[in-house]
PDB file of all heavy atoms in Angstrom:
ATOM      1  N   SER E  74     -34.581-161.373 -74.114  1.00  0.00           N
ATOM      2  CA  SER E  74     -33.969-161.713 -75.398  1.00  0.00           C
ATOM      3  C   SER E  74     -32.694-160.900 -75.573  1.00  0.00           C
ATOM      4  O   SER E  74     -32.577-159.785 -75.064  1.00  0.00           O
ATOM      5  CB  SER E  74     -34.926-161.423 -76.559  1.00  0.00           C
ATOM      6  OG  SER E  74     -35.074-160.024 -76.752  1.00  0.00           O
ATOM      7  N   PHE E  75     -31.728-161.477 -76.296  1.00  0.00           N
ATOM      8  CA  PHE E  75     -30.573-160.695 -76.741  1.00  0.00           C
ATOM      9  C   PHE E  75     -30.048-161.294 -78.033  1.00  0.00           C
ATOM     10  O   PHE E  75     -30.252-162.473 -78.328  1.00  0.00           O
ATOM     11  CB  PHE E  75     -29.482-160.620 -75.666  1.00  0.00           C
ATOM     12  CG  PHE E  75     -28.698-161.890 -75.468  1.00  0.00           C
ATOM     13  CD1 PHE E  75     -27.537-162.128 -76.192  1.00  0.00           C
ATOM     14  CD2 PHE E  75     -29.108-162.835 -74.542  1.00  0.00           C
ATOM     15  CE1 PHE E  75     -26.805-163.288 -76.009  1.00  0.00           C
ATOM     16  CE2 PHE E  75     -28.367-164.001 -74.345  1.00  0.00           C
ATOM     17  CZ  PHE E  75     -27.225-164.220 -75.081  1.00  0.00           C
ATOM     18  N   ASN E  76     -29.395-160.469 -78.821  1.00  0.00           N
ATOM     19  CA  ASN E  76     -28.843-160.904 -80.101  1.00  0.00           C
ATOM     20  C   ASN E  76     -27.466-161.513 -79.888  1.00  0.00           C
ATOM     21  O   ASN E  76     -26.578-160.879 -79.317  1.00  0.00           O
ATOM     22  CB  ASN E  76     -28.744-159.726 -81.078  1.00  0.00           C
ATOM     23  CG  ASN E  76     -30.094-159.378 -81.675  1.00  0.00           C
ATOM     24  OD1 ASN E  76     -30.859-160.257 -82.050  1.00  0.00           O
ATOM     25  ND2 ASN E  76     -30.399-158.096 -81.741  1.00  0.00           N
ATOM     26  N   ASN E  77     -27.300-162.741 -80.353  1.00  0.00           N
ATOM     27  CA  ASN E  77     -26.020-163.429 -80.285  1.00  0.00           C
ATOM     28  C   ASN E  77     -25.223-163.083 -81.540  1.00  0.00           C
ATOM     29  O   ASN E  77     -25.558-163.511 -82.636  1.00  0.00           O
ATOM     30  CB  ASN E  77     -26.261-164.939 -80.186  1.00  0.00           C
ATOM     31  CG  ASN E  77     -24.977-165.729 -80.192  1.00  0.00           C
ATOM     32  OD1 ASN E  77     -23.887-165.173 -80.041  1.00  0.00           O
ATOM     33  ND2 ASN E  77     -25.083-167.026 -80.375  1.00  0.00           N
ATOM     34  N   ARG E  78     -24.171-162.305 -81.374  1.00  0.00           N
ATOM     35  CA  ARG E  78     -23.363-161.865 -82.514  1.00  0.00           C
ATOM     36  C   ARG E  78     -22.080-162.684 -82.664  1.00  0.00           C
ATOM     37  O   ARG E  78     -21.211-162.333 -83.449  1.00  0.00           O
ATOM     38  CB  ARG E  78     -23.018-160.382 -82.384  1.00  0.00           C
ATOM     39  CG  ARG E  78     -24.254-159.473 -82.426  1.00  0.00           C
ATOM     40  CD  ARG E  78     -23.887-157.997 -82.381  1.00  0.00           C
ATOM     41  NE  ARG E  78     -25.058-157.163 -82.588  1.00  0.00           N
ATOM     42  CZ  ARG E  78     -25.855-156.744 -81.608  1.00  0.00           C
ATOM     43  NH1 ARG E  78     -25.612-157.105 -80.368  1.00  0.00           N
ATOM     44  NH2 ARG E  78     -26.905-155.973 -81.870  1.00  0.00           N
ATOM     45  N   SER E  79     -21.981-163.785 -81.923  1.00  0.00           N
ATOM     46  CA  SER E  79     -20.768-164.598 -81.990  1.00  0.00           C
ATOM     47  C   SER E  79     -20.711-165.450 -83.242  1.00  0.00           C
ATOM     48  O   SER E  79     -19.659-165.956 -83.616  1.00  0.00           O
ATOM     49  CB  SER E  79     -20.684-165.510 -80.758  1.00  0.00           C
ATOM     50  OG  SER E  79     -21.676-166.526 -80.812  1.00  0.00           O
ATOM     51  N   GLY E  80     -21.879-165.653 -83.890  1.00  0.00           N
ATOM     52  CA  GLY E  80     -21.918-166.532 -85.054  1.00  0.00           C
ATOM     53  C   GLY E  80     -22.090-167.991 -84.698  1.00  0.00           C
ATOM     54  O   GLY E  80     -22.192-168.850 -85.567  1.00  0.00           O
ATOM     55  N   VAL E  81     -22.127-168.313 -83.404  1.00  0.00           N
ATOM     56  CA  VAL E  81     -22.296-169.686 -82.947  1.00  0.00           C
ATOM     57  C   VAL E  81     -23.664-169.826 -82.286  1.00  0.00           C
ATOM     58  O   VAL E  81     -23.979-169.102 -81.349  1.00  0.00           O
ATOM     59  CB  VAL E  81     -21.194-170.081 -81.944  1.00  0.00           C
ATOM     60  CG1 VAL E  81     -21.406-171.511 -81.455  1.00  0.00           C
ATOM     61  CG2 VAL E  81     -19.820-169.920 -82.571  1.00  0.00           C
ATOM     62  N   GLY E  82     -24.475-170.760 -82.780  1.00  0.00           N
ATOM     63  CA  GLY E  82     -25.791-170.976 -82.200  1.00  0.00           C
ATOM     64  C   GLY E  82     -26.828-170.002 -82.756  1.00  0.00           C
ATOM     65  O   GLY E  82     -26.589-169.281 -83.714  1.00  0.00           O
ATOM     66  N   SER E  83     -27.995-170.018 -82.126  1.00  0.00           N
ATOM     67  CA  SER E  83     -29.110-169.195 -82.590  1.00  0.00           C
ATOM     68  C   SER E  83     -28.767-167.719 -82.497  1.00  0.00           C
ATOM     69  O   SER E  83     -28.065-167.279 -81.582  1.00  0.00           O
ATOM     70  CB  SER E  83     -30.361-169.493 -81.758  1.00  0.00           C
ATOM     71  OG  SER E  83     -30.710-170.854 -81.857  1.00  0.00           O
ATOM     72  N   ARG E  84     -29.283-166.938 -83.438  1.00  0.00           N
ATOM     73  CA  ARG E  84     -29.002-165.504 -83.442  1.00  0.00           C
ATOM     74  C   ARG E  84     -29.770-164.786 -82.336  1.00  0.00           C
ATOM     75  O   ARG E  84     -29.227-163.915 -81.661  1.00  0.00           O
ATOM     76  CB  ARG E  84     -29.369-164.921 -84.806  1.00  0.00           C
ATOM     77  CG  ARG E  84     -29.034-163.450 -84.927  1.00  0.00           C
ATOM     78  CD  ARG E  84     -29.305-162.932 -86.311  1.00  0.00           C
ATOM     79  NE  ARG E  84     -29.001-161.512 -86.420  1.00  0.00           N
ATOM     80  CZ  ARG E  84     -29.209-160.791 -87.507  1.00  0.00           C
ATOM     81  NH1 ARG E  84     -29.710-161.358 -88.586  1.00  0.00           N
ATOM     82  NH2 ARG E  84     -28.913-159.504 -87.532  1.00  0.00           N
ATOM     83  N   LEU E  85     -31.048-165.155 -82.146  1.00  0.00           N
ATOM     84  CA  LEU E  85     -31.861-164.558 -81.095  1.00  0.00           C
ATOM     85  C   LEU E  85     -31.922-165.532 -79.923  1.00  0.00           C
ATOM     86  O   LEU E  85     -32.433-166.641 -80.062  1.00  0.00           O
ATOM     87  CB  LEU E  85     -33.264-164.242 -81.601  1.00  0.00           C
ATOM     88  CG  LEU E  85     -34.179-163.495 -80.624  1.00  0.00           C
ATOM     89  CD1 LEU E  85     -33.646-162.099 -80.347  1.00  0.00           C
ATOM     90  CD2 LEU E  85     -35.601-163.414 -81.180  1.00  0.00           C
ATOM     91  N   VAL E  86     -31.391-165.126 -78.788  1.00  0.00           N
ATOM     92  CA  VAL E  86     -31.325-165.996 -77.616  1.00  0.00           C
ATOM     93  C   VAL E  86     -32.420-165.587 -76.633  1.00  0.00           C
ATOM     94  O   VAL E  86     -32.532-164.421 -76.261  1.00  0.00           O
ATOM     95  CB  VAL E  86     -29.944-165.908 -76.949  1.00  0.00           C
ATOM     96  CG1 VAL E  86     -29.890-166.789 -75.707  1.00  0.00           C
ATOM     97  CG2 VAL E  86     -28.854-166.312 -77.943  1.00  0.00           C
ATOM     98  N   ARG E 139     -35.331-149.756 -73.109  1.00  0.00           N
ATOM     99  CA  ARG E 139     -34.922-150.996 -73.752  1.00  0.00           C
ATOM    100  C   ARG E 139     -36.157-151.852 -74.009  1.00  0.00           C
ATOM    101  O   ARG E 139     -37.244-151.577 -73.500  1.00  0.00           O
ATOM    102  CB  ARG E 139     -33.916-151.753 -72.887  1.00  0.00           C
ATOM    103  CG  ARG E 139     -32.640-150.967 -72.610  1.00  0.00           C
ATOM    104  CD  ARG E 139     -31.643-151.785 -71.842  1.00  0.00           C
ATOM    105  NE  ARG E 139     -31.183-152.942 -72.610  1.00  0.00           N
ATOM    106  CZ  ARG E 139     -30.382-153.873 -72.114  1.00  0.00           C
ATOM    107  NH1 ARG E 139     -29.968-153.790 -70.860  1.00  0.00           N
ATOM    108  NH2 ARG E 139     -30.005-154.887 -72.863  1.00  0.00           N
ATOM    109  N   TYR E 142     -37.368-158.539 -77.690  1.00  0.00           N
ATOM    110  CA  TYR E 142     -38.031-158.900 -78.945  1.00  0.00           C
ATOM    111  C   TYR E 142     -38.291-160.395 -78.916  1.00  0.00           C
ATOM    112  O   TYR E 142     -37.359-161.204 -78.967  1.00  0.00           O
ATOM    113  CB  TYR E 142     -37.174-158.474 -80.129  1.00  0.00           C
ATOM    114  CG  TYR E 142     -36.991-156.973 -80.176  1.00  0.00           C
ATOM    115  CD1 TYR E 142     -35.921-156.362 -79.527  1.00  0.00           C
ATOM    116  CD2 TYR E 142     -37.930-156.168 -80.815  1.00  0.00           C
ATOM    117  CE1 TYR E 142     -35.780-154.977 -79.529  1.00  0.00           C
ATOM    118  CE2 TYR E 142     -37.800-154.785 -80.826  1.00  0.00           C
ATOM    119  CZ  TYR E 142     -36.721-154.203 -80.179  1.00  0.00           C
ATOM    120  OH  TYR E 142     -36.589-152.833 -80.174  1.00  0.00           O
TER     121      TYR E 142
END
Side-chain angles (χ1 to χ4, degrees):
S74 71
F75 74 90
N76 283 317
N77 177 12
R78 296 184 173 89
S79 70
V81 179
S83 301
R84 183 175 179 183
L85 185 66
V86 179
R139 300 184 64 185
Y142 297 90

